Amino acid sequence: MLSQSTPQEIEPPEDSTVVGTGKGGVGKSTVAAHLAGQSAADGHRTLLVCVTGQDDDDLGIKRHGRGTHPPGAPTIDGEGLYRAIHDRTPLQPIREVRPNLDVLPGGPKVAELANLLMLRMMQEGPAVVLSLARALAPIAPLYDRIVFDSAPESDSLEQLVLASARTLIVPTRSDVSSINGMERISRNFMAVKQQVNPHLQMAGAFLYGSNRSATLMHASVRRDVRQTLGDSTPILDTIVGYREVPARNARKKGLLFSEYAELLPQSATPADVKAGRATDADIVPDSIVPLAKEMRELNQEITEFCRRAA
Ligand SMILES: Nc1ncnc2c1ncn2[C@@H]1O[C@H](COP(=O)(O)OP(=O)(O)OP(=O)(O)O)[C@@H](O)[C@H]1O
Ligand SMILES: [Mg+2]
């Protein structure tokens, strides 16, 4: 979307962070939901904006009916986000999905945004990249912190979120295609910073969902990250382990890892399942405890790195 001419600038909210990289399935949505959830649990008024074509519903908004929807047309499935940008009106989030946490959910309608923006760009020029920043500006003062989840499949959607935030935090997995996926966010980061959002800063990168004891491999990934994002890129120490079962179960239940861990004392046992008193879904795996702990540590470190960068 961006070209040579410079559109008018909109200063992003003071504490606003994009979780983004150009590769799918590396943990962006999981980390964005937990970062926002932790911030809200710490007492900060927080907004999560999911500029993603698929709604993973980590917070149980759709499947479990959490939060208070704004009156009028639907907000889920990316409809609210699309409508605000299409109609040039302020964002109207779903309120109190958790205490202190409001959310603009993503979903299929967000994918249509890319076409809308392309069409508008022909008439209005590169200023369309500020469409989300403009829709956010009237409500941004209501929040202490704003977290953006982003889509890996589209340059224009990546540019849209980068134009609205002050910091970028980049998750990656250890495989080569995840490392390559950082090249796209890096390109879009530079274009947005140079042309529409000079406030944008790289807060850092982190390895997500990895074997925590594979330290040699971690060192090699850090070298790859710096080669892709630049030598001065801060790299976080916390590594959240690969723990598929509790991560999958928590998302299915629309619970954050810390919330799911609280169910452990009431967990069913395999004997209960065998006796027909419970189902597999009622067993809470012990591995949720380290997963919740590692995620809490990661969120703290991300917050620290974002503050430093901003
Ligand atoms: N620590 C973990 N260990 C294992 N699996 C995990 C962990 N955290 C999240 N997952 C699972 O990994 C998958 C991808 O995570 P997620 O949806 O957060 O990635 P994403 O980068 O947002 O993907 P997309 O690009 O498709 O939006 C999901 O099924 C999620 O439940
Ligand atoms: Mg996602």
Side-chain angles (χ1 to χ4, degrees), residues 43-47 95-96 99-102 142-145:
H44 307 296
R45 291 284 310 151
T46 306
L47 175 67
R95 306 266 178 207
E96 297 291 294
N100 294 320
L101 179 59
D102 294 353
L142 299 174
Y143 299 98
D144 303 316
R145 188 162 202 204

Side-chain angles (χ1 to χ4, degrees), residues 69-216:
H69 292 241
T75 305
I76 53 166
D77 294 333
E79 300 265 1
L81 204 50
Y82 181 88
R83 203 169 43 252
I85 290 179
H86 180 271
D87 299 349
R88 303 177 204 265
T89 52
L91 295 176
Q92 283 198 292
I94 296 174
R95 306 266 178 207
E96 297 291 294
V97 168
R98 299 290 190 279
N100 294 320
L101 179 59
D102 294 353
V103 178
L104 245 307
K109 197 74 186 172
V110 169
E112 293 179 31
L113 266 181
N115 290 339
L116 174 72
L117 296 172
M118 281 303 164
L119 261 176
R120 282 191 177 164
M121 205 191 61
M122 287 190 250
Q123 294 148 6
E124 299 168 27
V128 293
V129 79
L130 289 165
S131 305
L132 175 62
R134 239 180 244 117
L136 176 65
I139 66 162
L142 299 174
Y143 299 98
D144 303 316
R145 188 162 202 204
I146 300 173
V147 177
F148 297 90
D149 183 13
S150 63
E153 66 268 8
S154 152
D155 282 334
S156 39
L157 295 183
E158 264 186 19
Q159 291 177 7
L160 199 66
V161 283
L162 291 170
S164 311
R166 210 166 272 264
T167 54
L168 167 66
I169 188 88
V170 181
T172 187
R173 291 242 161 119
S174 58
D175 59 295
V176 172
S177 58
S178 293
I179 304 284
N180 292 341
M182 286 189 285
E183 277 171 15
R184 174 150 81 196
I185 196 90
S186 176
R187 260 200 328 272
N188 285 326
F189 175 90
M190 295 307 290
V192 168
K193 187 172 170 66
Q194 280 165 12
Q195 296 183 51
V196 290
N197 180 8
H199 305 279
L200 184 63
Q201 300 290 344
M202 175 67 77
F206 61 95
L207 183 57
Y208 184 79
S210 179
N211 176 349
R212 281 165 54 93
S213 55
T215 48
L216 276 180

Side-chain angles (χ1 to χ4, degrees), residues 54 92 154 259 306:
Q54 85 191 30
Q92 283 198 292
S154 152
E259 296 167 338
C306 288

